[in-house]
């Protein structure tokens, strides 16, 4: 068949071909994580923050403190169907880690787990949906922390509406601009470090091994930081929010809630029954986190 005869195929066939092409284009996976909000449990210095792993620049990276239990999360802004996650590791890689998805930043589902990671580039085919995607490190591959040149999430629009993490579990909060704070990695348990420019803090915390019996629900309260660890004033606008976590005293894994409002100083958890442990960390607008400090529920 010559070229002209192929061009002159009937209109129905051509229309079907065009429709088919459009359908394929609409369902093709796209890079969802580029320049989206990224946060991490720690960073090893002020230049290697979480945002560096989603900036599309393979010459910049995020790096964590040298602890096994570490996480890196990207907020896609709304729920998507996730089909692929690509991790480009620096020399400090994860030997053991999970890829998890969540709609609310609190309840996570595993879509990938490994205990035999060897670094380099992990290009993973996954299946799940959510607004938040995180790498939960369980074992480091080196004596250093975890470090990613890029953390890329691919997928398609799920058609789901945006879900605010602060609305998972019912909450009651007031935005007071009172002073003081949470906790710090270079200080004692009465100081708070929201990331690289950490802040000194006061907290209504007690021993990290304490637990509180609950029957219906609890209201947790804390003080908002107003002082950095170096003594400089901490603007309220520099506080990105808080990570609240809790678990039963007999459990080993926490449920986490991300509160994306630096002005919040309380949160209510309903329908809890039993002995629970509660703790909270502050993070700043660069996505750098303090250490966790224990919270006692309001009596």
């Amino acid at each position: 068949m010559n070229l002209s005869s192929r061009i002159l195929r009937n209109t129905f066939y051509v229309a079907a071909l065009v429709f088919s092409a459009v359908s394929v284009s609409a369902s093709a996976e796209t890079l969802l994580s580029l320049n989206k909000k990224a946060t991490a449990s720690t960073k090893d210095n002020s230049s290697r923050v979480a945002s560096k792993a989603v900036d599309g620049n393979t010459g910049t990276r995020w790096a964590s403190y040298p602890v096994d239990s570490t996480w890196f999360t990207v907020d896609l802004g709304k729920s998507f169907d996730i089909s692929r996650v690509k991790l480009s590791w620096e020399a400090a890689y994860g030997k053991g880690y999970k890829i998890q998805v969540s709609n609310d930043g609190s309840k996570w589902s595993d879509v990938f787990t490994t205990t035999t990671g060897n670094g380099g580039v992990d290009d993973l085919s996954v299946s799940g949906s959510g607004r938040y995607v995180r790498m939960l490190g369980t074992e480091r591959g080196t004596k250093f922390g975890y470090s990613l040149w890029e953390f890329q999430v691919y997928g398609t629009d799920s058609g789901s509406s945006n879900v605010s993490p602060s609305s998972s579990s019912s909450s009651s909060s007031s935005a007071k601009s009172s002073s003081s704070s949470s906790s710090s990695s270079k200080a004692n348990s009465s100081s708070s470090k929201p990331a690289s420019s950490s802040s000194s803090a006061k907290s209504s915390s007690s021993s990290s091994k304490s637990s509180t019996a609950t029957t219906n629900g609890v209201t947790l309260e804390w003080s908002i930081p107003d002082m950095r660890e170096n003594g400089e004033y901490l603007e309220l606008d520099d506080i990105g929010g808080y990570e609240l976590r809790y678990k039963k005293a007999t459990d080993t894994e926490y449920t986490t809630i991300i509160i994306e409002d630096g002005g919040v100083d309380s949160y209510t958890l309903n329908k809890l029954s039993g002995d629970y442990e509660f703790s909270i960390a502050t993070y700043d607008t660069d996505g750098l986190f303090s250490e966790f400090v224990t919270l006692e529920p309001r009596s």
Side-chain angles (χ1 to χ4, degrees):
M1 181 182 294
N2 60 34
L3 178 61
S4 61
S5 63
R6 287 201 296 268
I7 294 175
L8 293 175
R9 288 179 181 274
N10 65 69
T11 305
F12 177 81
Y13 179 85
V14 173
L17 180 62
V18 172
F19 178 80
S20 175
V22 170
S23 297
V24 171
S25 176
S27 61
E29 66 177 18
T30 57
L31 177 60
L32 306 172
S33 53
L34 182 64
N35 293 323
K36 293 298 175 65
K37 182 176 181 179
T39 54
S41 52
T42 67
K43 57 88 192 182
D44 70 349
N45 70 39
S46 59
S47 66
R48 293 195 279 265
V49 296
S51 61
K52 299 298 185 181
V54 292
D55 62 1
N57 184 348
T58 55
T60 62
R61 62 188 174 101
W62 161 74
S64 77
Y65 286 141
V67 291
D68 285 328
S69 181
T70 298
W71 56 260
F72 175 96
T73 301
V74 61
D75 178 358
L76 303 177
K78 57 172 286 185
S79 182
F80 289 90
D81 291 328
I82 310 302
S83 56
R84 178 183 169 206
V85 178
K86 184 177 179 181
L87 300 91
S88 299
W89 296 102
E90 194 256 354
Y93 66 93
K95 179 180 179 182
Y97 67 91
K98 299 178 180 181
I99 301 298
Q100 300 177 313
V101 295
S102 173
N103 280 319
D104 57 11
S106 173
K107 296 179 176 63
W108 296 89
S109 298
D110 298 346
V111 295
F112 176 82
T113 301
T114 185
T115 57
T116 58
N118 59 2
V121 176
D122 290 339
D123 198 344
L124 311 173
S125 294
V126 300
S127 179
S129 63
R131 169 177 169 172
Y132 302 88
V133 182
R134 78 175 178 182
M135 183 284 296
L136 179 63
T138 57
E139 184 181 359
R140 292 166 292 143
T142 70
K143 67 179 181 180
F144 303 103
Y146 300 85
S147 185
L148 288 165
W149 294 110
E150 283 292 302
F151 183 81
Q152 297 170 299
V153 179
Y154 294 83
T156 56
D157 195 336
S158 67
S160 299
S161 61
N162 196 5
V163 179
S164 171
S166 58
S167 64
S168 67
S169 307
S170 61
S171 70
S172 169
S173 61
S174 55
K176 303 175 185 176
S177 58
S178 61
S179 62
S180 294
S181 158
S182 303
S183 88
S184 171
S185 64
K186 292 186 179 179
N188 58 37
S189 61
S190 64
S191 69
S192 170
K193 178 189 178 192
S196 60
S197 51
S198 120
S199 63
S200 63
K202 296 178 182 178
S203 171
S204 57
S205 64
S206 62
S207 165
S208 61
K209 295 185 180 298
S210 68
S211 62
T212 301
T214 66
T215 54
N216 295 312
V218 296
T219 295
L220 303 168
E221 296 180 337
W222 57 90
S223 297
I224 298 174
D226 72 343
M227 187 78 66
R228 296 186 182 276
E229 190 178 45
N230 61 8
E232 295 179 356
Y233 180 69
L234 176 65
E235 296 283 352
L236 182 60
D237 289 345
D238 290 336
I239 303 173
Y242 307 92
E243 179 180 349
L244 176 65
R245 68 182 187 180
Y246 64 95
K247 71 179 183 70
K248 282 191 172 182
T250 55
D251 289 345
T252 57
E253 294 195 4
Y254 285 91
T255 295
T256 62
I257 296 173
I258 302 297
I259 303 171
E260 294 180 319
D261 185 348
V264 168
D265 64 359
S266 66
Y267 197 93
T268 296
L269 291 161
N270 292 325
K271 298 181 180 179
L272 297 182
S273 179
D275 292 334
Y276 278 79
E277 298 174 359
F278 307 91
S279 56
I280 194 167
T282 312
Y283 65 88
D284 71 6
T285 51
D286 287 326
L288 305 174
F289 276 72
S290 72
E291 301 244 343
F292 280 91
V293 65
T294 304
L295 292 176
E296 286 292 338
R298 184 177 65 194
S299 57

